[in-house]
CSV table of all heavy atoms in Angstrom, one decimal:
chain,number,residue,atom,x,y,z
A,30,GLN,N,0.9,-1.2,0.0
A,30,GLN,CA,0.0,0.0,0.0
A,30,GLN,C,0.9,1.2,0.0
A,30,GLN,O,1.6,1.5,1.0
A,30,GLN,CB,-0.9,0.0,1.2
A,30,GLN,CG,-1.9,-1.1,1.3
A,30,GLN,CD,-2.7,-1.2,2.6
A,30,GLN,OE1,-2.6,-0.2,3.4
A,30,GLN,NE2,-3.4,-2.2,2.8
A,31,GLU,N,0.9,2.0,-1.1
A,31,GLU,CA,1.7,3.2,-1.2
A,31,GLU,C,1.1,4.3,-0.3
A,31,GLU,O,-0.1,4.5,-0.3
A,31,GLU,CB,1.8,3.7,-2.6
A,31,GLU,CG,2.8,4.8,-2.8
A,31,GLU,CD,3.0,5.2,-4.2
A,31,GLU,OE1,3.4,4.4,-5.0
A,31,GLU,OE2,2.7,6.4,-4.5
A,32,SER,N,2.0,4.9,0.4
A,32,SER,CA,1.6,6.0,1.3
A,32,SER,C,2.6,7.1,1.2
A,32,SER,O,3.8,6.9,1.0
A,32,SER,CB,1.6,5.5,2.7
A,32,SER,OG,1.0,6.4,3.6
A,33,ASP,N,2.1,8.4,1.2
A,33,ASP,CA,3.0,9.5,1.1
A,33,ASP,C,2.9,10.2,2.5
A,33,ASP,O,1.9,10.6,2.9
A,33,ASP,CB,2.5,10.5,0.1
A,33,ASP,CG,3.5,11.6,-0.3
A,33,ASP,OD1,4.7,11.5,0.2
A,33,ASP,OD2,3.2,12.4,-1.1
A,34,ILE,N,4.0,10.2,3.2
A,34,ILE,CA,4.1,10.6,4.6
A,34,ILE,C,5.0,11.8,4.8
A,34,ILE,O,5.9,12.0,4.0
A,34,ILE,CB,4.5,9.5,5.6
A,34,ILE,CG1,6.0,9.1,5.3
A,34,ILE,CG2,3.6,8.3,5.5
A,34,ILE,CD1,6.6,8.2,6.4
A,35,ASN,N,4.7,12.6,5.8
A,35,ASN,CA,5.6,13.7,6.3
A,35,ASN,C,6.4,13.1,7.4
A,35,ASN,O,5.8,12.9,8.5
A,35,ASN,CB,4.8,14.9,6.7
A,35,ASN,CG,5.7,16.0,7.3
A,35,ASN,OD1,6.9,15.8,7.5
A,35,ASN,ND2,5.2,17.2,7.5
A,36,ILE,N,7.6,12.7,7.1
A,36,ILE,CA,8.4,11.9,8.1
A,36,ILE,C,8.7,12.7,9.4
A,36,ILE,O,9.0,12.1,10.4
A,36,ILE,CB,9.7,11.4,7.4
A,36,ILE,CG1,10.2,10.2,8.2
A,36,ILE,CG2,10.7,12.5,7.2
A,36,ILE,CD1,11.0,9.2,7.4
A,37,ASP,N,8.5,14.0,9.4
A,37,ASP,CA,8.7,14.8,10.5
A,37,ASP,C,7.4,15.1,11.3
A,37,ASP,O,7.5,15.7,12.4
A,37,ASP,CB,9.4,16.1,10.2
A,37,ASP,CG,10.8,15.9,9.5
A,37,ASP,OD1,11.6,15.1,10.1
A,37,ASP,OD2,11.0,16.4,8.5
A,38,ASP,N,6.3,14.6,10.8
A,38,ASP,CA,5.0,14.8,11.5
A,38,ASP,C,4.5,13.5,12.0
A,38,ASP,O,3.8,12.8,11.2
A,38,ASP,CB,4.0,15.5,10.6
A,38,ASP,CG,2.7,15.7,11.2
A,38,ASP,OD1,2.5,15.5,12.4
A,38,ASP,OD2,1.7,16.1,10.5
A,39,TYR,N,4.8,13.1,13.2
A,39,TYR,CA,4.4,11.8,13.7
A,39,TYR,C,2.9,11.6,13.8
A,39,TYR,O,2.5,10.4,14.0
A,39,TYR,CB,5.1,11.5,15.1
A,39,TYR,CG,6.6,11.7,15.0
A,39,TYR,CD1,7.3,12.2,16.1
A,39,TYR,CD2,7.4,11.3,13.9
A,39,TYR,CE1,8.7,12.4,16.1
A,39,TYR,CE2,8.7,11.5,13.9
A,39,TYR,CZ,9.4,12.0,15.0
A,39,TYR,OH,10.7,12.2,15.0
A,40,SER,N,2.2,12.6,13.7
A,40,SER,CA,0.7,12.5,13.8
A,40,SER,C,0.1,12.2,12.4
A,40,SER,O,-1.1,12.0,12.3
A,40,SER,CB,0.1,13.7,14.4
A,40,SER,OG,0.2,14.8,13.5
A,41,CYS,N,0.9,12.2,11.4
A,41,CYS,CA,0.3,12.0,10.0
A,41,CYS,C,-0.1,10.5,9.8
A,41,CYS,O,-0.9,10.3,8.9
A,41,CYS,CB,1.3,12.5,8.9
A,41,CYS,SG,2.6,11.4,8.5
A,42,ARG,N,0.4,9.6,10.5
A,42,ARG,CA,0.1,8.2,10.4
A,42,ARG,C,0.1,7.6,11.8
A,42,ARG,O,1.0,7.9,12.6
A,42,ARG,CB,1.0,7.3,9.5
A,42,ARG,CG,1.0,7.7,8.1
A,42,ARG,CD,-0.3,7.4,7.4
A,42,ARG,NE,-0.3,7.7,6.0
A,42,ARG,CZ,-0.6,8.9,5.5
A,42,ARG,NH1,-0.9,9.9,6.2
A,42,ARG,NH2,-0.6,9.0,4.1
A,43,TRP,N,-0.9,6.7,12.1
A,43,TRP,CA,-0.9,6.2,13.5
A,43,TRP,C,0.3,5.4,13.8
A,43,TRP,O,0.7,5.3,15.0
A,43,TRP,CB,-2.2,5.3,13.7
A,43,TRP,CG,-2.2,4.1,12.9
A,43,TRP,CD1,-2.7,3.9,11.6
A,43,TRP,CD2,-1.7,2.8,13.2
A,43,TRP,NE1,-2.6,2.6,11.2
A,43,TRP,CE2,-1.9,1.9,12.2
A,43,TRP,CE3,-1.0,2.3,14.4
A,43,TRP,CZ2,-1.5,0.6,12.2
A,43,TRP,CZ3,-0.6,1.0,14.4
A,43,TRP,CH2,-0.9,0.1,13.3
A,44,TRP,N,1.0,4.8,12.9
A,44,TRP,CA,2.1,4.0,13.1
A,44,TRP,C,3.5,4.7,13.1
A,44,TRP,O,4.5,4.1,13.4
A,44,TRP,CB,2.2,2.8,12.1
A,44,TRP,CG,2.0,3.3,10.7
A,44,TRP,CD1,0.9,3.4,9.9
A,44,TRP,CD2,3.0,3.8,9.8
A,44,TRP,NE1,1.1,3.8,8.7
A,44,TRP,CE2,2.4,4.1,8.5
A,44,TRP,CE3,4.4,4.0,9.9
A,44,TRP,CZ2,3.2,4.6,7.5
A,44,TRP,CZ3,5.1,4.5,8.8
A,44,TRP,CH2,4.5,4.8,7.6
A,45,LEU,N,3.5,6.0,12.7
A,45,LEU,CA,4.7,6.7,12.6
A,45,LEU,C,5.2,7.3,13.9
A,45,LEU,O,4.4,7.9,14.7
A,45,LEU,CB,4.6,7.9,11.6
A,45,LEU,CG,5.8,8.6,11.2
A,45,LEU,CD1,6.9,7.7,10.6
A,45,LEU,CD2,5.5,9.7,10.3
A,46,SER,N,6.4,7.0,14.3
A,46,SER,CA,7.0,7.5,15.5
A,46,SER,C,8.5,7.8,15.2
A,46,SER,O,9.0,7.6,14.1
A,46,SER,CB,7.0,6.4,16.6
A,46,SER,OG,7.8,5.3,16.2
A,47,LYS,N,9.2,8.4,16.2
A,47,LYS,CA,10.6,8.8,16.0
A,47,LYS,C,11.4,7.6,15.6
A,47,LYS,O,12.2,7.6,14.6
A,47,LYS,CB,11.2,9.5,17.2
A,47,LYS,CG,12.6,10.0,16.9
A,47,LYS,CD,13.1,10.8,18.1
A,47,LYS,CE,14.5,11.3,17.9
A,47,LYS,NZ,15.3,10.9,16.8
A,48,PRO,N,11.3,6.4,16.3
A,48,PRO,CA,12.1,5.3,15.9
A,48,PRO,C,11.8,4.8,14.5
A,48,PRO,O,12.8,4.4,13.8
A,48,PRO,CB,11.8,4.2,17.0
A,48,PRO,CG,11.3,5.0,18.2
A,48,PRO,CD,10.6,6.2,17.6
A,49,VAL,N,10.6,4.8,14.1
A,49,VAL,CA,10.2,4.3,12.8
A,49,VAL,C,10.8,5.3,11.7
A,49,VAL,O,11.4,4.9,10.7
A,49,VAL,CB,8.7,4.2,12.6
A,49,VAL,CG1,8.3,4.0,11.1
A,49,VAL,CG2,8.1,3.1,13.5
A,50,ALA,N,10.6,6.6,12.0
A,50,ALA,CA,11.2,7.6,11.1
A,50,ALA,C,12.7,7.5,10.9
A,50,ALA,O,13.3,7.5,9.9
A,50,ALA,CB,10.8,9.0,11.5
A,51,ASP,N,13.4,7.3,12.1
A,51,ASP,CA,14.8,7.1,12.1
A,51,ASP,C,15.2,5.9,11.2
A,51,ASP,O,16.2,6.0,10.5
A,51,ASP,CB,15.4,7.0,13.5
A,51,ASP,CG,15.3,8.3,14.3
A,51,ASP,OD1,15.1,9.4,13.7
A,51,ASP,OD2,15.5,8.2,15.5
A,52,ASN,N,14.5,4.8,11.4
A,52,ASN,CA,14.8,3.6,10.6
A,52,ASN,C,14.6,3.8,9.1
A,52,ASN,O,15.4,3.4,8.3
A,52,ASN,CB,14.0,2.4,11.1
A,52,ASN,CG,14.5,1.8,12.4
A,52,ASN,OD1,15.6,2.1,12.8
A,52,ASN,ND2,13.6,1.1,13.1
A,53,LEU,N,13.5,4.5,8.8
A,53,LEU,CA,13.2,4.8,7.4
A,53,LEU,C,14.4,5.6,6.8
A,53,LEU,O,14.8,5.4,5.6
A,53,LEU,CB,11.9,5.4,7.2
A,53,LEU,CG,10.7,4.5,7.4
A,53,LEU,CD1,9.4,5.3,7.5
A,53,LEU,CD2,10.6,3.5,6.3
A,54,ARG,N,14.8,6.6,7.5
A,54,ARG,CA,15.9,7.5,7.1
A,54,ARG,C,17.2,6.8,6.9
A,54,ARG,O,18.0,7.0,6.0
A,54,ARG,CB,16.1,8.7,8.0
A,54,ARG,CG,15.0,9.7,7.9
A,54,ARG,CD,15.4,10.9,8.8
A,54,ARG,NE,14.4,11.9,8.8
A,54,ARG,CZ,13.6,12.2,9.8
A,54,ARG,NH1,13.6,11.6,10.9
A,54,ARG,NH2,12.7,13.2,9.6
A,55,THR,N,17.6,5.9,7.9
A,55,THR,CA,18.9,5.4,8.0
A,55,THR,C,19.0,4.0,7.3
A,55,THR,O,20.1,3.8,6.6
A,55,THR,CB,19.4,5.2,9.4
A,55,THR,OG1,18.5,4.3,10.1
A,55,THR,CG2,19.5,6.5,10.1
A,56,GLN,N,18.0,3.2,7.3
A,56,GLN,CA,18.2,1.8,6.7
A,56,GLN,C,17.2,1.6,5.6
A,56,GLN,O,17.3,0.6,4.8
A,56,GLN,CB,18.1,0.7,7.7
A,56,GLN,CG,16.7,0.6,8.4
A,56,GLN,CD,16.8,-0.5,9.5
A,56,GLN,OE1,17.8,-0.8,10.0
A,56,GLN,NE2,15.6,-1.0,9.9
A,57,GLY,N,16.2,2.5,5.4
A,57,GLY,CA,15.3,2.4,4.3
A,57,GLY,C,14.0,1.6,4.6
A,57,GLY,O,13.2,1.5,3.7
A,58,TRP,N,13.9,1.0,5.8
A,58,TRP,CA,12.7,0.2,6.1
A,58,TRP,C,12.6,0.2,7.6
A,58,TRP,O,13.5,0.4,8.4
A,58,TRP,CB,12.8,-1.2,5.5
A,58,TRP,CG,14.0,-2.0,6.0
A,58,TRP,CD1,15.3,-2.0,5.5
A,58,TRP,CD2,14.1,-2.9,7.1
A,58,TRP,NE1,16.1,-2.8,6.2
A,58,TRP,CE2,15.4,-3.4,7.2
A,58,TRP,CE3,13.1,-3.3,8.1
A,58,TRP,CZ2,15.8,-4.3,8.2
A,58,TRP,CZ3,13.5,-4.2,9.0
A,58,TRP,CH2,14.8,-4.7,9.1
A,59,ASP,N,11.4,-0.2,8.1
A,59,ASP,CA,11.1,-0.5,9.5
A,59,ASP,C,10.1,-1.6,9.5
A,59,ASP,O,9.1,-1.6,8.8
A,59,ASP,CB,10.6,0.8,10.2
A,59,ASP,CG,10.3,0.5,11.6
A,59,ASP,OD1,11.2,0.5,12.4
A,59,ASP,OD2,9.1,0.2,12.0
A,60,ALA,N,10.2,-2.5,10.5
A,60,ALA,CA,9.3,-3.6,10.8
A,60,ALA,C,8.8,-3.4,12.2
A,60,ALA,O,9.7,-3.5,13.1
A,60,ALA,CB,9.9,-4.9,10.5
A,61,SER,N,7.5,-3.2,12.4
A,61,SER,CA,7.0,-3.0,13.7
A,61,SER,C,5.9,-4.0,14.1
A,61,SER,O,5.2,-4.5,13.2
A,61,SER,CB,6.4,-1.6,13.8
A,61,SER,OG,7.3,-0.6,13.6
A,62,VAL,N,5.8,-4.3,15.4
A,62,VAL,CA,4.7,-5.2,15.9
A,62,VAL,C,4.1,-4.4,17.0
A,62,VAL,O,4.7,-3.9,17.9
A,62,VAL,CB,5.3,-6.5,16.4
A,62,VAL,CG1,4.2,-7.4,17.0
A,62,VAL,CG2,6.0,-7.2,15.3
A,63,TRP,N,2.7,-4.4,17.0
A,63,TRP,CA,1.9,-3.8,18.1
A,63,TRP,C,1.2,-4.9,18.8
A,63,TRP,O,0.4,-5.6,18.2
A,63,TRP,CB,1.0,-2.7,17.6
A,63,TRP,CG,1.7,-1.6,17.1
A,63,TRP,CD1,2.1,-0.5,17.8
A,63,TRP,CD2,2.2,-1.3,15.8
A,63,TRP,NE1,2.7,0.4,17.1
A,63,TRP,CE2,2.8,-0.1,15.8
A,63,TRP,CE3,2.1,-2.0,14.6
A,63,TRP,CZ2,3.4,0.5,14.7
A,63,TRP,CZ3,2.7,-1.5,13.5
A,63,TRP,CH2,3.3,-0.3,13.5
A,64,VAL,N,1.4,-5.1,20.1
A,64,VAL,CA,0.7,-6.1,20.9
A,64,VAL,C,-0.5,-5.4,21.6
A,64,VAL,O,-0.4,-4.4,22.3
A,64,VAL,CB,1.6,-6.7,21.9
A,64,VAL,CG1,0.9,-7.7,22.8
A,64,VAL,CG2,2.8,-7.3,21.3
A,65,TRP,N,-1.7,-5.9,21.3
A,65,TRP,CA,-3.0,-5.3,21.8
A,65,TRP,C,-3.5,-6.3,22.9
A,65,TRP,O,-3.6,-7.5,22.6
A,65,TRP,CB,-4.0,-5.1,20.8
A,65,TRP,CG,-3.6,-4.3,19.6
A,65,TRP,CD1,-3.3,-4.7,18.4
A,65,TRP,CD2,-3.3,-2.9,19.6
A,65,TRP,NE1,-2.9,-3.7,17.6
A,65,TRP,CE2,-2.9,-2.6,18.3
A,65,TRP,CE3,-3.3,-1.9,20.6
A,65,TRP,CZ2,-2.5,-1.3,18.0
A,65,TRP,CZ3,-2.9,-0.7,20.2
A,65,TRP,CH2,-2.5,-0.3,19.0
């Protein structure tokens, strides 16, 4: 699913956070798991 995000605005996507943004910037990807 293609998404256009503002990587500096963590409120633009529910899953975007500083660690996710840092991973996208430095390694090009992020894999996250949320336990509910």
Side-chain angles (χ1 to χ4, degrees):
Q30 297 176 5
E31 188 176 297
S32 189
D33 196 3
I34 63 170
N35 177 346
I36 200 150
D37 297 311
D38 178 7
Y39 305 142
S40 67
C41 78
R42 295 292 184 274
W43 67 268
W44 49 265
L45 187 59
S46 64
K47 183 174 181 354
V49 172
D51 289 346
N52 286 340
L53 287 169
R54 282 187 184 108
T55 60
Q56 66 187 19
W58 61 274
D59 180 80
S61 301
V62 177
W63 290 271
V64 179
W65 306 110

